[in-house]
CSV table of all heavy atoms in Angstrom, one decimal:
chain,number,residue,atom,x,y,z
A,11,GLY,N,0.8,-1.2,0.0
A,11,GLY,CA,0.0,0.0,0.0
A,11,GLY,C,0.9,1.3,0.0
A,11,GLY,O,0.3,2.4,-0.3
A,12,TYR,N,2.2,1.0,0.2
A,12,TYR,CA,3.0,2.2,0.3
A,12,TYR,C,4.1,2.1,-1.0
A,12,TYR,O,4.6,1.0,-1.2
A,12,TYR,CB,3.9,2.2,1.5
A,12,TYR,CG,3.1,2.6,2.7
A,12,TYR,CD1,2.5,1.5,3.5
A,12,TYR,CD2,2.7,3.8,3.1
A,12,TYR,CE1,1.7,1.7,4.6
A,12,TYR,CE2,2.0,4.1,4.3
A,12,TYR,CZ,1.5,3.0,4.9
A,12,TYR,OH,0.7,3.3,6.1
A,13,ALA,N,4.1,3.1,-1.7
A,13,ALA,CA,5.0,3.0,-3.0
A,13,ALA,C,6.1,4.1,-2.9
A,13,ALA,O,6.9,4.1,-3.9
A,13,ALA,CB,4.1,3.2,-4.3
A,14,GLY,N,6.2,4.9,-2.1
A,14,GLY,CA,7.1,5.9,-1.9
A,14,GLY,C,8.5,5.5,-1.7
A,14,GLY,O,8.7,4.4,-1.2
A,15,ALA,N,9.5,6.3,-2.0
A,15,ALA,CA,10.8,6.0,-1.8
A,15,ALA,C,11.3,6.1,-0.3
A,15,ALA,O,10.7,6.9,0.4
A,15,ALA,CB,11.8,6.9,-2.7
A,16,ASN,N,12.1,5.2,0.0
A,16,ASN,CA,12.7,5.1,1.4
A,16,ASN,C,11.7,5.0,2.6
A,16,ASN,O,11.9,5.2,3.6
A,16,ASN,CB,13.5,6.6,1.7
A,16,ASN,CG,14.6,6.7,0.7
A,16,ASN,OD1,15.1,5.7,0.0
A,16,ASN,ND2,15.0,7.9,0.5
A,17,ASP,N,10.4,4.4,2.2
A,17,ASP,CA,9.5,4.3,3.2
A,17,ASP,C,9.7,2.9,3.9
A,17,ASP,O,9.9,2.0,3.2
A,17,ASP,CB,8.1,4.3,2.6
A,17,ASP,CG,7.0,4.2,3.7
A,17,ASP,OD1,6.8,3.1,4.1
A,17,ASP,OD2,6.4,5.1,4.0
A,18,PRO,N,9.8,2.9,5.2
A,18,PRO,CA,10.3,1.7,5.8
A,18,PRO,C,9.3,0.5,5.5
A,18,PRO,O,9.6,-0.7,5.3
A,18,PRO,CB,10.2,1.9,7.3
A,18,PRO,CG,10.5,3.5,7.3
A,18,PRO,CD,9.9,4.0,6.1
A,19,GLY,N,8.0,0.9,5.6
A,19,GLY,CA,7.0,-0.1,5.2
A,19,GLY,C,7.1,-0.8,3.9
A,19,GLY,O,6.9,-1.9,3.6
A,20,ALA,N,7.3,0.2,2.8
A,20,ALA,CA,7.5,-0.3,1.5
A,20,ALA,C,8.8,-1.0,1.2
A,20,ALA,O,8.7,-1.8,0.3
A,20,ALA,CB,7.4,1.0,0.6
A,21,LEU,N,9.7,-0.9,1.9
A,21,LEU,CA,11.1,-1.6,1.9
A,21,LEU,C,11.0,-3.0,2.4
A,21,LEU,O,12.0,-3.8,2.1
A,21,LEU,CB,12.2,-0.8,2.4
A,21,LEU,CG,12.6,0.6,1.6
A,21,LEU,CD1,13.5,1.4,2.4
A,21,LEU,CD2,13.2,0.1,0.2
A,22,GLY,N,10.1,-3.3,3.3
A,22,GLY,CA,9.9,-4.6,3.8
A,22,GLY,C,10.9,-4.6,5.1
A,22,GLY,O,11.4,-3.6,5.6
A,23,THR,N,11.2,-5.9,5.6
A,23,THR,CA,11.9,-6.0,6.7
A,23,THR,C,13.3,-6.8,6.6
A,23,THR,O,13.9,-7.3,7.4
A,23,THR,CB,11.1,-6.7,7.9
A,23,THR,OG1,10.7,-8.0,7.5
A,23,THR,CG2,10.0,-5.9,8.3
A,24,GLY,N,13.7,-6.9,5.3
A,24,GLY,CA,14.8,-7.8,5.0
A,24,GLY,C,16.0,-6.9,4.5
A,24,GLY,O,16.2,-5.8,4.8
A,25,TYR,N,16.8,-7.5,3.6
A,25,TYR,CA,18.0,-7.0,3.2
A,25,TYR,C,17.8,-5.7,2.4
A,25,TYR,O,18.7,-4.7,2.6
A,25,TYR,CB,18.8,-8.0,2.5
A,25,TYR,CG,18.4,-8.2,1.0
A,25,TYR,CD1,18.8,-7.4,-0.1
A,25,TYR,CD2,17.5,-9.2,0.7
A,25,TYR,CE1,18.4,-7.7,-1.3
A,25,TYR,CE2,17.1,-9.4,-0.6
A,25,TYR,CZ,17.5,-8.7,-1.6
A,25,TYR,OH,17.0,-8.9,-2.9
A,26,PRO,N,16.7,-5.4,1.7
A,26,PRO,CA,16.7,-4.1,1.1
A,26,PRO,C,16.6,-3.1,2.1
A,26,PRO,O,17.1,-1.9,1.9
A,26,PRO,CB,15.4,-4.2,0.2
A,26,PRO,CG,15.3,-5.7,-0.1
A,26,PRO,CD,15.7,-6.4,1.2
A,27,LEU,N,15.8,-3.2,3.2
A,27,LEU,CA,15.7,-2.1,4.2
A,27,LEU,C,17.0,-2.0,4.9
A,27,LEU,O,17.5,-0.9,5.1
A,27,LEU,CB,14.6,-2.7,5.2
A,27,LEU,CG,14.6,-1.7,6.5
A,27,LEU,CD1,14.0,-0.4,6.2
A,27,LEU,CD2,13.8,-2.4,7.5
A,28,LEU,N,17.8,-3.1,5.1
A,28,LEU,CA,19.2,-2.9,5.9
A,28,LEU,C,20.2,-2.1,4.8
A,28,LEU,O,20.9,-1.3,5.2
A,28,LEU,CB,19.6,-4.3,6.1
A,28,LEU,CG,18.8,-5.1,7.1
A,28,LEU,CD1,19.5,-6.5,7.3
A,28,LEU,CD2,18.7,-4.3,8.4
A,29,VAL,N,20.2,-2.5,3.5
A,29,VAL,CA,21.0,-1.8,2.5
A,29,VAL,C,20.6,-0.3,2.6
A,29,VAL,O,21.5,0.4,2.6
A,29,VAL,CB,20.9,-2.4,1.3
A,29,VAL,CG1,21.6,-1.5,0.2
A,29,VAL,CG2,21.4,-3.8,1.2
A,30,ALA,N,19.3,-0.1,2.4
A,30,ALA,CA,18.9,1.3,2.3
A,30,ALA,C,19.2,2.1,3.5
A,30,ALA,O,19.7,3.2,3.4
A,30,ALA,CB,17.4,1.4,1.9
A,31,SER,N,19.0,1.6,4.8
A,31,SER,CA,19.3,2.3,5.8
A,31,SER,C,20.6,2.6,6.0
A,31,SER,O,21.0,3.7,6.5
A,31,SER,CB,18.9,1.4,7.1
A,31,SER,OG,17.3,1.2,7.1
A,32,ALA,N,21.5,1.8,5.9
A,32,ALA,CA,23.0,2.0,5.9
A,32,ALA,C,23.5,3.1,4.9
A,32,ALA,O,24.3,3.9,5.2
A,32,ALA,CB,23.9,0.7,5.7
A,33,ALA,N,23.0,2.8,3.6
A,33,ALA,CA,23.5,3.8,2.5
A,33,ALA,C,22.9,5.2,2.8
A,33,ALA,O,23.7,6.1,2.6
A,33,ALA,CB,22.9,3.3,1.2
A,34,LEU,N,21.6,5.4,3.3
A,34,LEU,CA,21.1,6.7,3.4
A,34,LEU,C,21.9,7.3,4.8
A,34,LEU,O,22.1,8.6,4.8
A,34,LEU,CB,19.7,6.6,3.9
A,34,LEU,CG,18.7,6.2,2.6
A,34,LEU,CD1,17.4,5.8,3.1
A,34,LEU,CD2,18.7,7.3,1.6
A,35,ARG,N,22.2,6.6,5.6
A,35,ARG,CA,23.1,7.0,6.8
A,35,ARG,C,24.4,7.6,6.3
A,35,ARG,O,24.8,8.6,6.8
A,35,ARG,CB,23.2,5.9,7.8
A,35,ARG,CG,24.1,6.3,9.1
A,35,ARG,CD,24.7,5.0,9.7
A,35,ARG,NE,25.5,4.2,8.8
A,35,ARG,CZ,25.7,2.9,9.0
A,35,ARG,NH1,25.2,2.2,9.9
A,35,ARG,NH2,26.6,2.3,8.0
A,36,ASP,N,25.0,6.8,5.5
A,36,ASP,CA,26.4,7.1,5.1
A,36,ASP,C,26.4,8.2,4.0
A,36,ASP,O,27.6,8.7,3.8
A,36,ASP,CB,27.0,5.8,4.5
A,36,ASP,CG,27.4,4.8,5.7
A,36,ASP,OD1,27.2,5.1,6.9
A,36,ASP,OD2,27.7,3.6,5.4
A,37,HIS,N,25.4,8.3,3.3
A,37,HIS,CA,25.4,9.3,2.2
A,37,HIS,C,24.3,10.4,2.3
A,37,HIS,O,23.6,10.6,1.4
A,37,HIS,CB,25.2,8.6,0.8
A,37,HIS,CG,26.3,7.5,0.6
A,37,HIS,ND1,27.6,7.9,0.3
A,37,HIS,CD2,26.2,6.3,0.7
A,37,HIS,CE1,28.4,6.7,0.2
A,37,HIS,NE2,27.6,5.7,0.4
A,38,PRO,N,24.2,11.1,3.5
A,38,PRO,CA,23.3,12.1,3.5
A,38,PRO,C,23.6,13.3,2.6
A,38,PRO,O,24.8,13.6,2.2
A,38,PRO,CB,23.5,12.6,5.1
A,38,PRO,CG,24.9,12.4,5.3
A,38,PRO,CD,25.2,11.0,4.6
A,39,GLY,N,22.6,13.8,2.0
A,39,GLY,CA,22.8,14.9,1.0
A,39,GLY,C,22.8,14.4,-0.3
A,39,GLY,O,22.6,15.1,-1.3
A,40,ASP,N,22.9,13.0,-0.6
A,40,ASP,CA,23.0,12.6,-1.9
A,40,ASP,C,21.5,12.1,-2.4
A,40,ASP,O,21.2,12.0,-3.6
A,40,ASP,CB,23.7,11.1,-2.1
A,40,ASP,CG,25.1,11.4,-2.0
A,40,ASP,OD1,25.7,12.5,-2.1
A,40,ASP,OD2,26.0,10.4,-2.0
A,41,TRP,N,20.6,12.3,-1.4
A,41,TRP,CA,19.1,12.0,-1.7
A,41,TRP,C,18.9,10.8,-2.4
A,41,TRP,O,18.2,10.9,-3.6
A,41,TRP,CB,18.6,13.3,-2.3
A,41,TRP,CG,18.8,14.6,-1.6
A,41,TRP,CD1,19.7,15.5,-1.9
A,41,TRP,CD2,18.1,15.0,-0.5
A,41,TRP,NE1,19.7,16.5,-0.9
A,41,TRP,CE2,18.6,16.1,0.1
A,41,TRP,CE3,17.2,14.3,0.4
A,41,TRP,CZ2,18.3,16.8,1.2
A,41,TRP,CZ3,16.8,15.0,1.5
A,41,TRP,CH2,17.3,16.2,2.0
A,42,LEU,N,19.5,9.8,-2.1
A,42,LEU,CA,19.3,8.5,-2.8
A,42,LEU,C,17.8,8.1,-2.6
A,42,LEU,O,17.4,8.2,-1.4
A,42,LEU,CB,20.3,7.5,-2.3
A,42,LEU,CG,21.7,7.7,-2.5
A,42,LEU,CD1,22.7,6.6,-2.0
A,42,LEU,CD2,22.2,7.9,-4.0
């Protein structure tokens, strides 16, 4: 039901969420 970028619910609870969380932490300002 959620289709937006970087939404925790839309990313699920597996490796995509973990990858996204770490990359967003490490690259603030890149607006990935």
Side-chain angles (χ1 to χ4, degrees):
Y12 296 92
N16 302 339
D17 184 281
L21 287 169
T23 59
Y25 75 91
L27 175 65
L28 298 179
V29 169
S31 298
L34 291 169
R35 175 200 64 203
D36 291 349
H37 302 287
D40 283 358
W41 304 107
L42 301 176

